[in-house]
Amino acid sequence: MTETLILTRAAAEGFAIPFLLDAGLPEADAAIAARCLVRADLRGVDTHGMVRLPGYLDRIAKGLVDPAPSLDFEAVAPNAARLDGKNGLGFVVATRAVDHGIKMAREMGLGLIGVRNSTHYGMAATYLLQAIEAGFAAMVYTNASPALPPWGGRGEMFGTSPFAVGVPAPGSVPFVLDMAPTVVARGKIRKAARDGQPIPKGWALDAEGRDTTDASAAMAGGVLLPIGGPKGAGLSMMLDILCGVLTGARYGGEVGDQYKRFDRPQGVGHFILVMRPDLFLSAGEVAARMGDLVARVKANPKAAGVEEIYMPGEIEARREAARLIDGIPYARADLAPLLDLARAKGFALPLGL
């Protein structure tokens, strides 16, 4: 039996949707969630893709995620609104928020959305691409469950909250920066622990505050390390303030871990800003200047051993383009829980499974 399964985007989304419908999501929302999960896999961010679906389904089954919340935006200024996510799936809450931000930005140049009572929303670049593909720039922030300490501390408090900014570049390479304030995303350590693989030094500390290469030790009471020491720790605190303190979401170590805390919903907050890129210059000027910037970046003298300089998000975009043609590779072991559940429920399996 082959250990790697190759699925087209349509097949992967079609495999995910029945689980989401069965969990109580409306058809449109199930399609959104499946699209978000599969896009992460298309771009090679498999820590935030289909492998996470069983965890979301489990939280819905436990009543910690509402599969069908009523989402209503409350205007707080002409181009700002707040949204109570009502513990809905973060994929759906964030997608709706970006849509609303695009609508405001189209009318008024900027659209700012503060979201409270949301849940984990997967790959942050998903929402940057949503804005970029509509012709808008965006800053999309979220807070997350505790993973790293404030600088000088050793207890988990702030999350691996992604710092995500996207700017379109018609005719060139868009800027898609999706980075955690930690040396590495926690999902990569979780995957290493699941696979029984070591992690590099400098990624995490164990429960005693010692640098460790044992992924399981890092996950069992350890903490992740921030990029740039106090700089990364400061970025994580900033994101917790924007997404938690200012929106009414949980903050300061109170965001629930979706894999560890089952006594209450997560209480995640998002801070989303969508803007027209041609606010200060014409669209043509902005496109030309972005193209020129990309050309300058790529023409920069290369460091030893470097074959090409990439724009942030470019490697993932190339991988996505290739996988749209060649299919998405999935490890059978990663899909095993879903395959077993699909057989138990009588769901159709993709061809070849």
Side-chain angles (χ1 to χ4, degrees):
M1 183 177 293
T2 178
E3 295 302 316
T4 301
L5 310 171
I6 306 296
L7 300 182
T8 65
R9 176 178 62 180
E13 291 180 3
F15 181 50
I17 284 174
F19 296 105
L20 296 159
L21 293 174
D22 184 66
L25 271 73
E27 287 187 15
D29 291 353
I32 287 172
R35 187 168 63 246
C36 291
L37 286 165
V38 172
R39 188 145 206 193
D41 289 327
L42 279 169
R43 294 175 70 84
V45 188
D46 54 359
T47 55
H48 287 60
M50 192 84 78
V51 69
R52 291 245 186 164
L53 181 53
Y56 298 120
L57 297 175
D58 182 56
R59 292 188 71 82
I60 292 173
K62 286 181 167 66
L64 299 170
V65 174
D66 186 344
S70 175
L71 301 177
D72 301 303
F73 293 89
E74 179 185 355
V76 295
N79 56 355
R82 60 186 171 195
L83 174 64
D84 186 338
K86 298 179 181 175
N87 304 315
L89 269 183
F91 303 118
V92 176
V93 174
T95 297
R96 303 280 187 215
V98 173
D99 276 342
H100 196 72
I102 289 172
K103 179 181 177 181
M104 287 193 292
R106 186 172 284 121
E107 296 174 357
M108 291 169 281
L110 296 171
L112 177 63
I113 312 289
V115 181
R116 66 188 186 279
N117 297 326
S118 186
T119 60
H120 188 266
Y121 71 7
M123 180 181 72
T126 302
Y127 312 104
L128 300 180
L129 294 167
Q130 180 184 348
I132 287 171
E133 288 163 4
F136 293 85
M139 300 178 185
V140 180
Y141 305 146
T142 186
N143 62 0
S145 57
L148 69 155
W151 189 246
R154 64 172 186 160
E156 292 181 328
M157 179 173 288
F158 300 113
T160 56
S161 312
F163 184 94
V165 180
V167 180
S172 187
V173 182
F175 178 82
V176 182
L177 177 67
D178 177 0
M179 55 168 269
T182 48
V183 175
V184 68
R186 182 164 45 184
K188 290 189 177 181
I189 297 180
R190 185 179 291 114
K191 186 176 188 300
R194 187 172 65 246
D195 296 344
Q197 296 296 317
I199 58 175
K201 278 192 172 184
W203 277 21
L205 304 179
D206 64 17
E208 302 301 320
R210 299 170 301 202
D211 199 341
T212 183
T213 60
D214 184 335
S216 296
M219 296 300 298
V223 294
L224 275 65
L225 291 173
I227 55 172
K231 296 179 181 179
L235 281 175
S236 188
M237 187 183 298
M238 178 199 78
L239 293 165
D240 202 43
I241 291 169
L242 291 176
C243 301
V245 174
L246 299 186
T247 66
R250 293 185 182 273
Y251 64 93
E254 294 181 344
V255 175
D257 188 318
Q258 63 180 332
Y259 290 104
K260 296 178 181 178
R261 187 153 192 173
F262 302 100
D263 60 326
R264 61 166 173 80
Q266 285 187 278
V268 175
H270 312 314
F271 185 93
I272 295 168
L273 175 66
V274 181
M275 64 174 284
R276 277 185 17 221
D278 60 346
L279 281 179
F280 311 114
L281 298 171
S282 71
E285 287 177 293
V286 172
R289 291 167 70 87
M290 282 298 294
D292 180 57
L293 174 64
V294 172
R296 294 188 194 190
V297 168
K298 290 186 166 294
N300 195 272
K302 299 176 184 64
V306 173
E307 294 184 2
E308 183 177 356
I309 297 173
Y310 298 96
M311 289 291 290
E314 186 177 6
I315 292 174
E316 293 82 358
R318 292 187 186 184
R319 186 177 294 120
E320 179 174 5
R323 289 183 174 182
L324 284 171
I325 297 171
D326 301 329
I328 307 165
Y330 288 100
R332 182 178 288 275
D334 287 343
L335 290 188
L338 288 173
L339 293 172
D340 291 343
L341 183 59
R343 293 187 184 99
K345 289 183 173 290
F347 295 160
L349 298 178
L351 290 177
L353 300 185

